[in-house]
Amino acid sequence: MLLYGVLSGLFSYAQTVANVDVSISMPSVALVDILPSGSNSVTLQMTAPTEAGNTIGTSSSNNTNWLIFTSAVTSGGSRSIKGDVVGTLPAGIRLRLDISAYVGAGLGFTGGNSYVTANKYLTNTPVSFIDNIKGAYTGITYGSNGFQLTYSLEIQNYANIRSGTSNVTVRYTMVDN
C-alpha cells in the first residue's frame, strides 16, 4: 500500500487552466475599382471606309483598364460584379466588354470559386460578368493583377446609325447575390 501511494504521487501533476476570451470581428467588404493606364477615359472610334460600298469599320478597341476588387461576405453569401452604361449609346451601336481571365497574386477566387461568366454587351441594364465572389482580393498592380477589360464597338443595326459623338459612363458595381 505504501508503494502504491508513492507511485501514484509520482504520476500526479498539478494542473491549472487559464482561459482568454477572444472576440473576432470581420466586416463585410465590397470594394471594386478600375486601374487605368493613365486616365479613366476611353476613346473608341468608328472608321469611315475609303471606298464606296464598303462597311464602316469597328476595329477600334481599348484594353488599358484593369478591374480589381476586395470582398468579404457573410457566411454562405456570394457576390457578383455587374456593368452597365449610364447615358445613351448611339443608335445602332453596341458596346462590347471582353473580360480576361484573372492574373496576379491575389487569393480567394481562383481554383473554381469565382469565375468570369462571359464577354458581354453593355446597356442601361446591369449585366453580371464575374460571379460567385466570396472572400477574395485581386492585388493592386496595374497590368499584373486583376481582370483586363477590353472595350470595342459593333454595329447592331446599320439602318439606325448616325454620325456624331456620344459620351457614356460605364459603371461597375459589386452586388450581393
Side-chain angles (χ1 to χ4, degrees), residues 32 34 67 81-83 97 129 149 151 170-174:
V32 63
I34 300 296
L67 183 130
I81 296 180
K82 297 183 178 222
L97 174 64
F129 61 89
L149 306 174
Y151 304 94
V170 176
R171 174 177 48 199
Y172 297 100
T173 308
M174 183 179 283

Side-chain angles (χ1 to χ4, degrees), residues 104-171:
L107 294 172
F109 51 87
T110 56
N113 291 332
S114 297
Y115 52 90
V116 174
T117 55
N119 301 318
K120 301 291 181 174
Y121 292 102
L122 298 174
T123 66
N124 296 114
T125 302
V127 60
S128 177
F129 61 89
I130 301 176
D131 285 324
N132 202 37
I133 301 167
K134 295 182 181 178
Y137 72 97
T138 58
I140 60 170
T141 306
Y142 177 84
S144 59
N145 285 285
F147 298 83
Q148 188 174 24
L149 306 174
T150 301
Y151 304 94
S152 59
L153 298 173
E154 292 182 5
I155 296 176
Q156 182 178 20
N157 185 335
Y158 274 93
N160 291 339
I161 62 173
R162 303 291 181 263
S163 64
T165 301
S166 296
N167 293 303
V168 297
T169 299
V170 176
R171 174 177 48 199

Side-chain angles (χ1 to χ4, degrees), residues 1-14:
M1 180 76 88
L2 182 61
L3 184 61
Y4 175 74
V6 171
L7 289 176
S8 66
L10 291 174
F11 293 109
S12 301
Y13 298 101

Side-chain angles (χ1 to χ4, degrees), residues 47-98:
T47 56
T50 57
E51 181 71 34
N54 286 334
T55 185
I56 296 171
T58 60
S59 60
S60 176
S61 68
N62 182 296
N63 64 354
T64 61
N65 287 331
W66 288 72
L67 183 130
I68 59 173
F69 62 83
T70 300
S71 174
V73 297
T74 59
S75 180
S78 69
R79 294 192 169 109
S80 298
I81 296 180
K82 297 183 178 222
D84 66 325
V85 172
V86 178
T88 303
L89 288 168
I93 303 297
R94 295 194 301 184
L95 177 59
R96 181 181 168 121
L97 174 64
D98 293 315

